[in-house]
Amino acid sequence: MYKTVKFGGSSLADATQFQKVKNIILADDSRRYVVVSAPGKRYKGDDKITDLLYECQQLAQGGAPFDQVFGRIRRRYLQIRDKLNLKVDLESELSDIYHIIENGASPDYAASRGEYLNALLMADYLGYRFVDASELICFHDDGTYDDETTQARTRMLKKLDRVVIPGFYGKRRDGSVRTFSRGGSDITGAIIARATESDLYENWTDVDGFLMADPRIVPDAKVIETVTYSELRELSYMGATVLHEDSIFPVRKARIPINVRNTNRPEVHGTMIVPDVMASPDRDCPLTGVAGSRGFTVITLQKDNMNSEPGFAYRVCSVFARYNVSVECMPCGIDTMSIVSSDAQLRGKMDAIYHDIMAECIPDTVEIASCIALIATVGIGMVRSRGTAAKIFSALADADVNVRIIDQGSSEMNVIIGVEQRDFERAIEAIYRKFA
Ligand code: ASP
């Protein structure tokens, strides 16, 4: 049994957090492949090292002095090293980084040093081997991730026992450093878990796991014990995030479960994210989670005999495609069709889309409703349990929420409901309380 374990920035923010991480790793012999983020915030209002590194690069690029900001970075690392009595020669590493930034380093290079230095410290602290991510993670020259070369490079990891790898970055073919988007150490962890054929990818962070609902709306929302990859995708898409969205794909393909855990409460089991086949078909509760976001517009077309007009849907969709606007969902009736898109995508394009639809689809009426929130009520258990829809809609009726749209995904594990934005919080809370 092998595990890849990834620790986020708050889990590695200072020497005390490093000690917790070491205890976690030593408590389980199978935790062999360790991926680390850069030190994050120690308290509210504190700096994240990654942000400070970007700031140094920006200042240097503008020809401004960055010694003061760099000094804050230096102190954070030296403090960790000295409190833990480590031997890493940080002074010369930091002085190299300082000079490279001074001489025009890219933002990606500057930011990557946060993970690089933290991995050097962690490798020394654990007595594990340090393997630089630039030897493993590859990017194409245009900056997109190169999975094929990465798979070839990371194969060697299986021969190594116990290693520490910095998250977040890799390199292009020309040798320049390239990072993933923010929070990208999660992706590195997933890639390493797949390369090492780990049985489990543990993602250690500062929350107990995924919650069944946004805690800003439902403060006592319970932790989801098990969620499938597909359910998670539906929930994350609607705004519930703990993991970087792209971190799911490498492990999902390899059918490696992810366990989200809390470094500050290792006794809590966290959330297990499993391939669909591993999920128990008869969970007690048909609802896995409820999530949503605001900022959608619904365009409803009505036309007599729409159902018998070949190509109607095609013509509507091609108008949206022409303006590069993606469609979130399309609930249809016999003579009506609603198209839901985000306000952000429609911005500045609505008049042109309206004009083209009128000209090409010739509907009898078009109604446009903005300020709509979409809510995803997700659970694989819904397929088998009778009365789920009745429960959802009675909860909404009891909470005096007017439902504007209903769309059941064809996977039958997600009922999407559109409500007025002002009813958004009330609707989420009502659905959660009905099931939880
Ligand atoms: N340190 C990077 C960030 O703050 C990457 C990560 O933590 O995953 O975004």
Side-chain angles (χ1 to χ4, degrees):
M1 171 94 160
Y2 294 125
K3 288 181 188 167
T4 294
V5 288
K6 179 258 162 181
F7 291 88
S10 58
S11 303
L12 296 159
D14 58 20
T16 313
Q17 292 301 91
F18 263 65
Q19 281 161 346
K20 290 184 193 170
V21 167
K22 185 172 185 173
N23 291 339
I24 289 168
I25 293 171
L26 297 187
D28 180 344
D29 190 53
S30 61
R31 293 182 175 133
R32 291 177 182 220
Y33 303 101
V34 180
V35 175
V36 298
S37 285
K41 294 184 185 192
R42 293 161 293 183
Y43 45 83
K44 216 168 161 219
D46 191 19
D47 300 307
K48 273 179 140 197
I49 290 291
T50 311
D51 293 334
L52 295 178
L53 286 160
Y54 278 124
E55 200 180 327
C56 286
Q57 190 277 339
Q58 282 235 309
L59 288 167
Q61 198 179 13
F66 62 96
D67 298 59
Q68 194 262 338
V69 184
F70 200 81
R72 272 147 63 196
I73 299 171
R74 187 193 307 268
R75 279 192 294 281
R76 288 279 297 269
Y77 282 109
L78 293 180
Q79 230 173 43
I80 297 175
R81 183 195 65 182
D82 296 341
K83 279 200 177 158
L84 299 174
N85 288 320
L86 304 177
K87 300 278 162 296
V88 181
D89 181 7
L90 278 181
E91 284 79 2
S92 68
E93 294 283 354
L94 284 160
S95 128
D96 288 351
I97 294 168
Y98 180 91
H99 289 302
I100 296 174
I101 294 178
E102 192 179 30
N103 290 318
S106 69
D108 283 16
Y109 170 82
S112 74
R113 296 305 89 186
E115 272 67 14
Y116 170 77
L117 293 173
N118 233 18
L120 285 180
L121 288 175
M122 185 51 81
D124 190 23
Y125 189 37
L126 293 171
Y128 284 17
R129 178 171 168 167
F130 168 86
V131 180
D132 196 348
S134 56
E135 305 304 317
L136 302 168
I137 310 290
C138 306
F139 290 87
H140 295 290
D141 290 339
D142 65 1
T144 54
Y145 169 62
D146 176 356
D147 194 43
E148 212 180 306
T149 319
T150 301
Q151 292 213 35
R153 293 265 173 87
T154 46
R155 223 162 269 147
M156 58 77 116
L157 282 174
K158 272 208 297 182
K159 292 194 212 111
L160 306 179
D161 203 26
R162 304 178 201 281
V163 293
V164 177
I165 300 159
F168 192 35
Y169 71 94
K171 72 176 178 199
R172 295 188 185 84
R173 274 195 205 143
D174 66 6
S176 60
V177 169
R178 169 80 179 146
T179 63
F180 290 113
S181 56
R182 294 298 302 265
S185 301
D186 285 343
I187 310 174
T188 312
I191 293 168
I192 301 305
R194 181 188 57 186
T196 54
E197 295 176 12
S198 289
D199 298 281
L200 184 66
Y201 170 30
E202 285 181 347
N203 192 299
W204 291 84
T205 169
D206 54 6
V207 291
D208 285 348
F210 273 90
L211 297 176
M212 284 179 72
D214 186 336
R216 285 167 300 186
I217 301 174
V218 184
D220 57 341
K222 287 189 205 150
V223 170
I224 303 175
E225 278 175 32
T226 310
V227 59
T228 67
Y229 285 120
S230 335
E231 288 173 315
L232 186 69
R233 165 108 180 96
E234 308 265 357
L235 289 169
S236 318
Y237 176 70
M238 278 294 172
T241 45
V242 175
L243 290 177
H244 192 295
E245 226 197 319
D246 295 339
S247 66
I248 307 289
F249 298 106
V251 275
R252 181 180 187 163
K253 260 194 193 154
R255 292 182 170 276
I256 300 169
I258 308 175
N259 190 192
V260 177
R261 303 281 298 260
N262 189 346
T263 302
N264 304 315
R265 293 185 356 117
E267 66 283 5
V268 176
H269 288 114
T271 299
M272 278 295 268
I273 305 161
V274 299
D276 300 13
V277 286
M278 281 190 196
S280 148
D282 39 40
R283 291 187 197 153
D284 296 344
C285 175
L287 178 81
T288 302
V290 52
S293 17
R294 300 158 183 275
F296 293 94
T297 294
V298 185
I299 301 137
T300 304
L301 315 182
Q302 193 276 325
K303 186 174 190 180
D304 282 347
N305 296 323
M306 182 191 285
N307 67 319
S308 49
E309 187 180 316
F312 186 85
Y314 168 74
R315 281 192 289 283
V316 174
C317 289
S318 24
V319 172
F320 282 80
R322 185 176 313 147
Y323 292 98
N324 208 18
V325 171
S326 61
V327 173
E328 305 294 326
C329 60
M330 266 179 67
C332 295
I334 299 170
D335 287 338
T336 56
M337 174 183 287
S338 295
I339 296 99
V340 185
S341 287
S342 75
D343 295 346
Q345 292 241 355
L346 288 167
R347 197 156 298 133
K349 299 174 178 173
M350 197 56 242
D351 289 348
I353 290 177
Y354 178 80
H355 172 271
D356 289 8
I357 283 182
M358 291 311 270
E360 293 166 36
C361 311
I362 320 172
D364 296 336
T365 60
V366 176
E367 227 181 83
I368 299 171
S370 52
C371 300
I372 296 290
L374 290 185
I375 296 172
T377 312
V378 175
I380 45 159
M382 285 185 189
V383 190
R384 281 179 202 82
S385 72
R386 280 187 200 97
T388 308
K391 264 173 112 171
I392 297 172
F393 294 108
S394 73
L396 293 172
D398 293 348
D400 203 22
V401 172
N402 183 25
V403 175
R404 297 290 302 263
I405 288 190
I406 305 168
D407 188 28
Q408 181 173 18
S410 27
S411 59
E412 273 198 64
M413 67 165 165
N414 186 5
V415 179
I416 296 176
I417 298 152
V419 300
E420 313 268 348
Q421 274 177 184
R422 60 169 180 268
D423 292 336
F424 177 59
E425 272 100 359
R426 209 150 21 100
I428 296 245
E429 177 158 26
I431 295 171
Y432 174 82
R433 301 254 175 251
K434 193 81 173 181
F435 286 90

